[in-house]
mmCIF file of all heavy atoms in Angstrom:
data_model
loop_
_atom_site.group_PDB
_atom_site.id
_atom_site.type_symbol
_atom_site.label_atom_id
_atom_site.label_comp_id
_atom_site.label_asym_id
_atom_site.label_seq_id
_atom_site.Cartn_x
_atom_site.Cartn_y
_atom_site.Cartn_z
ATOM 1 N N GLY A 94 171.989 170.983 131.955
ATOM 2 C CA GLY A 94 173.203 170.213 132.150
ATOM 3 C C GLY A 94 173.982 170.106 130.852
ATOM 4 O O GLY A 94 173.719 170.774 129.886
ATOM 5 N N PRO A 95 175.015 169.222 130.878
ATOM 6 C CA PRO A 95 175.851 169.059 129.675
ATOM 7 C C PRO A 95 175.033 168.655 128.467
ATOM 8 O O PRO A 95 173.992 167.952 128.609
ATOM 9 C CB PRO A 95 176.837 167.940 130.096
ATOM 10 C CG PRO A 95 176.819 167.971 131.591
ATOM 11 C CD PRO A 95 175.435 168.349 131.985
ATOM 12 N N THR A 96 175.455 169.043 127.278
ATOM 13 C CA THR A 96 174.736 168.678 126.073
ATOM 14 C C THR A 96 174.666 167.165 125.902
ATOM 15 O O THR A 96 175.677 166.459 126.078
ATOM 16 C CB THR A 96 175.356 169.315 124.842
ATOM 17 O OG1 THR A 96 174.641 168.913 123.679
ATOM 18 C CG2 THR A 96 176.829 168.942 124.678
ATOM 19 N N PRO A 97 173.488 166.648 125.559
ATOM 20 C CA PRO A 97 173.366 165.216 125.327
ATOM 21 C C PRO A 97 173.571 164.827 123.878
ATOM 22 O O PRO A 97 173.374 163.668 123.508
ATOM 23 C CB PRO A 97 171.917 164.944 125.731
ATOM 24 C CG PRO A 97 171.200 166.211 125.342
ATOM 25 C CD PRO A 97 172.184 167.320 125.549
ATOM 26 N N PHE A 98 173.996 165.784 123.014
ATOM 27 C CA PHE A 98 174.107 165.532 121.588
ATOM 28 C C PHE A 98 175.516 165.120 121.229
ATOM 29 O O PHE A 98 176.497 165.531 121.839
ATOM 30 C CB PHE A 98 173.688 166.774 120.794
ATOM 31 C CG PHE A 98 172.342 167.303 121.172
ATOM 32 C CD1 PHE A 98 172.182 168.484 121.860
ATOM 33 C CD2 PHE A 98 171.193 166.589 120.821
ATOM 34 C CE1 PHE A 98 170.910 168.981 122.210
ATOM 35 C CE2 PHE A 98 169.920 167.055 121.177
ATOM 36 C CZ PHE A 98 169.774 168.214 121.842
ATOM 37 N N MET A 99 175.589 164.346 120.115
ATOM 38 C CA MET A 99 176.903 163.917 119.597
ATOM 39 C C MET A 99 176.694 163.613 118.096
ATOM 40 O O MET A 99 175.646 163.170 117.702
ATOM 41 C CB MET A 99 177.372 162.682 120.344
ATOM 42 C CG MET A 99 178.748 162.172 119.902
ATOM 43 S SD MET A 99 179.322 160.770 120.968
ATOM 44 C CE MET A 99 178.195 159.488 120.404
ATOM 45 N N VAL A 100 177.709 163.890 117.321
ATOM 46 C CA VAL A 100 177.635 163.526 115.899
ATOM 47 C C VAL A 100 178.358 162.193 115.674
ATOM 48 O O VAL A 100 179.322 161.863 116.390
ATOM 49 C CB VAL A 100 178.205 164.624 114.992
ATOM 50 C CG1 VAL A 100 177.393 165.887 115.094
ATOM 51 C CG2 VAL A 100 179.662 164.891 115.289
ATOM 52 N N LYS A 101 177.868 161.442 114.708
ATOM 53 C CA LYS A 101 178.428 160.161 114.362
ATOM 54 C C LYS A 101 178.724 160.133 112.873
ATOM 55 O O LYS A 101 177.926 160.613 112.086
ATOM 56 C CB LYS A 101 177.468 159.022 114.719
ATOM 57 C CG LYS A 101 178.034 157.629 114.546
ATOM 58 C CD LYS A 101 176.994 156.519 114.843
ATOM 59 C CE LYS A 101 176.082 156.370 113.660
ATOM 60 N NZ LYS A 101 175.221 155.138 113.783
ATOM 61 N N TRP A 102 179.851 159.614 112.513
ATOM 62 C CA TRP A 102 180.326 159.623 111.121
ATOM 63 C C TRP A 102 179.293 159.038 110.179
ATOM 64 O O TRP A 102 178.741 158.009 110.445
ATOM 65 C CB TRP A 102 181.656 158.832 111.040
ATOM 66 C CG TRP A 102 182.353 158.939 109.729
ATOM 67 C CD1 TRP A 102 183.230 159.909 109.348
ATOM 68 C CD2 TRP A 102 182.239 158.071 108.606
ATOM 69 N NE1 TRP A 102 183.670 159.675 108.076
ATOM 70 C CE2 TRP A 102 183.050 158.524 107.597
ATOM 71 C CE3 TRP A 102 181.500 156.879 108.369
ATOM 72 C CZ2 TRP A 102 183.181 157.901 106.370
ATOM 73 C CZ3 TRP A 102 181.605 156.244 107.156
ATOM 74 C CH2 TRP A 102 182.430 156.746 106.149
ATOM 75 N N PRO A 103 179.097 159.762 109.013
ATOM 76 C CA PRO A 103 179.640 161.078 108.755
ATOM 77 C C PRO A 103 178.694 162.222 109.172
ATOM 78 O O PRO A 103 179.155 163.323 109.427
ATOM 79 C CB PRO A 103 179.849 161.092 107.244
ATOM 80 C CG PRO A 103 178.716 160.222 106.738
ATOM 81 C CD PRO A 103 178.509 159.166 107.799
ATOM 82 N N ASN A 104 177.370 161.957 109.219
ATOM 83 C CA ASN A 104 176.467 163.091 109.414
ATOM 84 C C ASN A 104 175.202 162.813 110.221
ATOM 85 O O ASN A 104 174.183 163.464 110.071
ATOM 86 C CB ASN A 104 176.078 163.709 108.056
ATOM 87 C CG ASN A 104 175.569 162.699 107.067
ATOM 88 O OD1 ASN A 104 175.070 161.653 107.455
ATOM 89 N ND2 ASN A 104 175.712 162.993 105.783
ATOM 90 N N ASP A 105 175.256 161.789 111.087
ATOM 91 C CA ASP A 105 174.115 161.528 111.985
ATOM 92 C C ASP A 105 174.272 162.402 113.240
ATOM 93 O O ASP A 105 175.382 162.665 113.726
ATOM 94 C CB ASP A 105 174.092 160.075 112.429
ATOM 95 C CG ASP A 105 173.547 159.155 111.344
ATOM 96 O OD1 ASP A 105 173.034 159.684 110.309
ATOM 97 O OD2 ASP A 105 173.669 157.914 111.499
ATOM 98 N N LEU A 106 173.116 162.816 113.768
ATOM 99 C CA LEU A 106 173.072 163.493 115.049
ATOM 100 C C LEU A 106 172.454 162.540 116.069
ATOM 101 O O LEU A 106 171.336 162.026 115.845
ATOM 102 C CB LEU A 106 172.287 164.787 114.991
ATOM 103 C CG LEU A 106 172.120 165.525 116.317
ATOM 104 C CD1 LEU A 106 173.486 166.082 116.784
ATOM 105 C CD2 LEU A 106 171.114 166.646 116.249
ATOM 106 N N LEU A 107 173.170 162.271 117.176
ATOM 107 C CA LEU A 107 172.680 161.368 118.210
ATOM 108 C C LEU A 107 172.235 162.147 119.422
ATOM 109 O O LEU A 107 172.802 163.194 119.762
ATOM 110 C CB LEU A 107 173.761 160.396 118.616
ATOM 111 C CG LEU A 107 174.453 159.545 117.526
ATOM 112 C CD1 LEU A 107 175.429 158.581 118.147
ATOM 113 C CD2 LEU A 107 173.442 158.842 116.665
ATOM 114 N N LEU A 108 171.195 161.638 120.078
ATOM 115 C CA LEU A 108 170.746 162.169 121.350
ATOM 116 C C LEU A 108 170.831 161.024 122.346
ATOM 117 O O LEU A 108 170.148 160.018 122.205
ATOM 118 C CB LEU A 108 169.295 162.661 121.230
ATOM 119 C CG LEU A 108 168.530 162.936 122.533
ATOM 120 C CD1 LEU A 108 169.262 163.954 123.397
ATOM 121 C CD2 LEU A 108 167.102 163.414 122.236
ATOM 122 N N ASP A 109 171.697 161.192 123.347
ATOM 123 C CA ASP A 109 171.946 160.116 124.319
ATOM 124 C C ASP A 109 172.218 158.784 123.630
ATOM 125 O O ASP A 109 171.721 157.731 124.040
ATOM 126 C CB ASP A 109 170.763 160.012 125.275
ATOM 127 C CG ASP A 109 170.670 161.169 126.233
ATOM 128 O OD1 ASP A 109 171.739 161.771 126.547
ATOM 129 O OD2 ASP A 109 169.553 161.521 126.657
ATOM 130 N N GLY A 110 173.001 158.825 122.534
ATOM 131 C CA GLY A 110 173.416 157.625 121.858
ATOM 132 C C GLY A 110 172.413 157.091 120.823
ATOM 133 O O GLY A 110 172.738 156.098 120.162
ATOM 134 N N CYS A 111 171.232 157.700 120.699
ATOM 135 C CA CYS A 111 170.231 157.242 119.775
ATOM 136 C C CYS A 111 170.091 158.270 118.641
ATOM 137 O O CYS A 111 170.199 159.481 118.852
ATOM 138 C CB CYS A 111 168.889 157.082 120.465
ATOM 139 S SG CYS A 111 168.879 155.862 121.818
ATOM 140 N N LYS A 112 169.855 157.790 117.448
ATOM 141 C CA LYS A 112 169.794 158.670 116.281
ATOM 142 C C LYS A 112 168.585 159.583 116.380
ATOM 143 O O LYS A 112 167.469 159.161 116.538
ATOM 144 C CB LYS A 112 169.734 157.880 114.981
ATOM 145 C CG LYS A 112 169.758 158.736 113.734
ATOM 146 C CD LYS A 112 169.874 157.897 112.480
ATOM 147 C CE LYS A 112 169.874 158.764 111.223
ATOM 148 N NZ LYS A 112 170.085 157.951 110.001
ATOM 149 N N MET A 113 168.844 160.929 116.254
ATOM 150 C CA MET A 113 167.795 161.912 116.251
ATOM 151 C C MET A 113 167.625 162.553 114.893
ATOM 152 O O MET A 113 166.515 162.997 114.550
ATOM 153 C CB MET A 113 168.124 162.987 117.318
ATOM 154 C CG MET A 113 166.988 164.032 117.484
ATOM 155 S SD MET A 113 167.518 165.463 118.480
ATOM 156 C CE MET A 113 167.092 166.768 117.313
ATOM 157 N N ALA A 114 168.690 162.610 114.120
ATOM 158 C CA ALA A 114 168.606 163.276 112.803
ATOM 159 C C ALA A 114 169.597 162.662 111.836
ATOM 160 O O ALA A 114 170.629 162.117 112.249
ATOM 161 C CB ALA A 114 168.891 164.775 112.947
ATOM 162 N N GLY A 115 169.238 162.739 110.536
ATOM 163 C CA GLY A 115 170.106 162.200 109.529
ATOM 164 C C GLY A 115 170.064 163.062 108.272
ATOM 165 O O GLY A 115 169.183 163.928 108.128
ATOM 166 N N VAL A 116 171.002 162.801 107.375
ATOM 167 C CA VAL A 116 171.161 163.641 106.185
ATOM 168 C C VAL A 116 171.347 162.733 104.971
ATOM 169 O O VAL A 116 172.012 161.688 105.044
ATOM 170 C CB VAL A 116 172.429 164.525 106.345
ATOM 171 C CG1 VAL A 116 172.661 165.381 105.117
ATOM 172 C CG2 VAL A 116 172.316 165.384 107.612
ATOM 173 N N LEU A 117 170.759 163.164 103.849
ATOM 174 C CA LEU A 117 170.949 162.496 102.548
ATOM 175 C C LEU A 117 171.383 163.550 101.565
ATOM 176 O O LEU A 117 170.682 164.525 101.331
ATOM 177 C CB LEU A 117 169.690 161.779 102.087
ATOM 178 C CG LEU A 117 169.765 161.123 100.705
ATOM 179 C CD1 LEU A 117 170.754 159.959 100.762
ATOM 180 C CD2 LEU A 117 168.401 160.621 100.273
ATOM 181 N N ILE A 118 172.572 163.350 100.950
ATOM 182 C CA ILE A 118 173.107 164.314 99.985
ATOM 183 C C ILE A 118 173.085 163.714 98.600
ATOM 184 O O ILE A 118 173.562 162.554 98.390
ATOM 185 C CB ILE A 118 174.541 164.705 100.378
ATOM 186 C CG1 ILE A 118 174.535 165.427 101.758
ATOM 187 C CG2 ILE A 118 175.176 165.589 99.319
ATOM 188 C CD1 ILE A 118 175.912 165.637 102.342
ATOM 189 N N GLU A 119 172.504 164.423 97.655
ATOM 190 C CA GLU A 119 172.416 163.983 96.268
ATOM 191 C C GLU A 119 172.943 165.096 95.358
ATOM 192 O O GLU A 119 172.812 166.262 95.695
ATOM 193 C CB GLU A 119 170.993 163.615 95.903
ATOM 194 C CG GLU A 119 170.411 162.486 96.767
ATOM 195 C CD GLU A 119 168.955 162.261 96.547
ATOM 196 O OE1 GLU A 119 168.149 162.996 97.141
ATOM 197 O OE2 GLU A 119 168.625 161.321 95.801
ATOM 198 N N ALA A 120 173.519 164.712 94.237
ATOM 199 C CA ALA A 120 174.103 165.669 93.296
ATOM 200 C C ALA A 120 173.818 165.258 91.885
ATOM 201 O O ALA A 120 173.616 164.094 91.570
ATOM 202 C CB ALA A 120 175.607 165.795 93.559
ATOM 203 N N GLY A 121 173.810 166.278 90.987
ATOM 204 C CA GLY A 121 173.552 165.971 89.584
ATOM 205 C C GLY A 121 173.708 167.248 88.782
ATOM 206 O O GLY A 121 174.331 168.226 89.236
ATOM 207 N N GLY A 122 173.123 167.255 87.580
ATOM 208 C CA GLY A 122 173.198 168.428 86.734
ATOM 209 C C GLY A 122 174.267 168.340 85.675
ATOM 210 O O GLY A 122 175.231 167.574 85.803
ATOM 211 N N PRO A 123 174.110 169.109 84.613
ATOM 212 C CA PRO A 123 175.093 169.072 83.528
ATOM 213 C C PRO A 123 176.375 169.777 83.925
ATOM 214 O O PRO A 123 176.400 170.545 84.879
ATOM 215 C CB PRO A 123 174.369 169.850 82.407
ATOM 216 C CG PRO A 123 173.463 170.798 83.140
ATOM 217 C CD PRO A 123 173.005 170.022 84.349
ATOM 218 N N GLN A 124 177.439 169.550 83.171
ATOM 219 C CA GLN A 124 178.715 170.208 83.439
ATOM 220 C C GLN A 124 178.520 171.734 83.284
ATOM 221 O O GLN A 124 177.918 172.211 82.361
ATOM 222 C CB GLN A 124 179.785 169.710 82.464
ATOM 223 C CG GLN A 124 181.180 170.224 82.758
ATOM 224 C CD GLN A 124 182.222 169.603 81.845
ATOM 225 O OE1 GLN A 124 181.879 168.878 80.913
ATOM 226 N NE2 GLN A 124 183.481 169.921 82.105
ATOM 227 N N GLY A 125 179.031 172.408 84.265
ATOM 228 C CA GLY A 125 178.888 173.849 84.258
ATOM 229 C C GLY A 125 177.635 174.355 84.971
ATOM 230 O O GLY A 125 177.505 175.557 85.210
ATOM 231 N N ARG A 126 176.735 173.460 85.276
ATOM 232 C CA ARG A 126 175.519 173.852 85.985
ATOM 233 C C ARG A 126 175.127 172.771 86.987
ATOM 234 O O ARG A 126 173.991 172.315 86.995
ATOM 235 C CB ARG A 126 174.408 174.065 84.972
ATOM 236 C CG ARG A 126 173.105 174.711 85.501
ATOM 237 C CD ARG A 126 173.348 176.093 86.079
ATOM 238 N NE ARG A 126 172.106 176.743 86.457
ATOM 239 C CZ ARG A 126 171.955 177.725 87.309
ATOM 240 N NH1 ARG A 126 173.034 178.215 87.887
ATOM 241 N NH2 ARG A 126 170.767 178.258 87.577
ATOM 242 N N PRO A 127 176.077 172.344 87.828
ATOM 243 C CA PRO A 127 175.762 171.246 88.773
ATOM 244 C C PRO A 127 174.869 171.709 89.894
ATOM 245 O O PRO A 127 174.784 172.923 90.172
ATOM 246 C CB PRO A 127 177.144 170.853 89.312
ATOM 247 C CG PRO A 127 177.934 172.123 89.253
ATOM 248 C CD PRO A 127 177.461 172.837 87.987
ATOM 249 N N TRP A 128 174.217 170.756 90.514
ATOM 250 C CA TRP A 128 173.406 171.064 91.706
ATOM 251 C C TRP A 128 173.691 170.065 92.787
ATOM 252 O O TRP A 128 174.104 168.926 92.522
ATOM 253 C CB TRP A 128 171.905 171.124 91.389
ATOM 254 C CG TRP A 128 171.328 169.910 90.680
ATOM 255 C CD1 TRP A 128 171.074 169.783 89.334
ATOM 256 C CD2 TRP A 128 170.983 168.642 91.254
ATOM 257 N NE1 TRP A 128 170.566 168.545 89.057
ATOM 258 C CE2 TRP A 128 170.475 167.829 90.221
ATOM 259 C CE3 TRP A 128 171.004 168.147 92.551
ATOM 260 C CZ2 TRP A 128 170.045 166.523 90.422
ATOM 261 C CZ3 TRP A 128 170.591 166.840 92.774
ATOM 262 C CH2 TRP A 128 170.101 166.047 91.736
ATOM 263 N N VAL A 129 173.443 170.453 94.019
ATOM 264 C CA VAL A 129 173.542 169.581 95.197
ATOM 265 C C VAL A 129 172.273 169.771 96.040
ATOM 266 O O VAL A 129 171.871 170.928 96.277
ATOM 267 C CB VAL A 129 174.768 169.883 96.056
ATOM 268 C CG1 VAL A 129 174.775 169.030 97.316
ATOM 269 C CG2 VAL A 129 176.059 169.670 95.257
ATOM 270 N N VAL A 130 171.637 168.680 96.400
ATOM 271 C CA VAL A 130 170.442 168.754 97.239
ATOM 272 C C VAL A 130 170.788 168.038 98.578
ATOM 273 O O VAL A 130 171.222 166.896 98.582
ATOM 274 C CB VAL A 130 169.230 168.053 96.579
ATOM 275 C CG1 VAL A 130 168.083 167.906 97.601
ATOM 276 C CG2 VAL A 130 168.766 168.898 95.398
#
Side-chain angles (χ1 to χ4, degrees):
T96 178
F98 306 109
M99 182 174 72
V100 296
K101 187 184 79 169
W102 188 87
N104 50 26
D105 284 350
L106 178 69
L107 306 184
L108 166 57
D109 290 331
C111 300
K112 184 172 179 176
M113 186 191 124
V116 179
L117 177 65
I118 297 170
E119 300 173 279
Q124 187 174 7
R126 190 61 173 159
W128 52 259
V129 176
V130 170

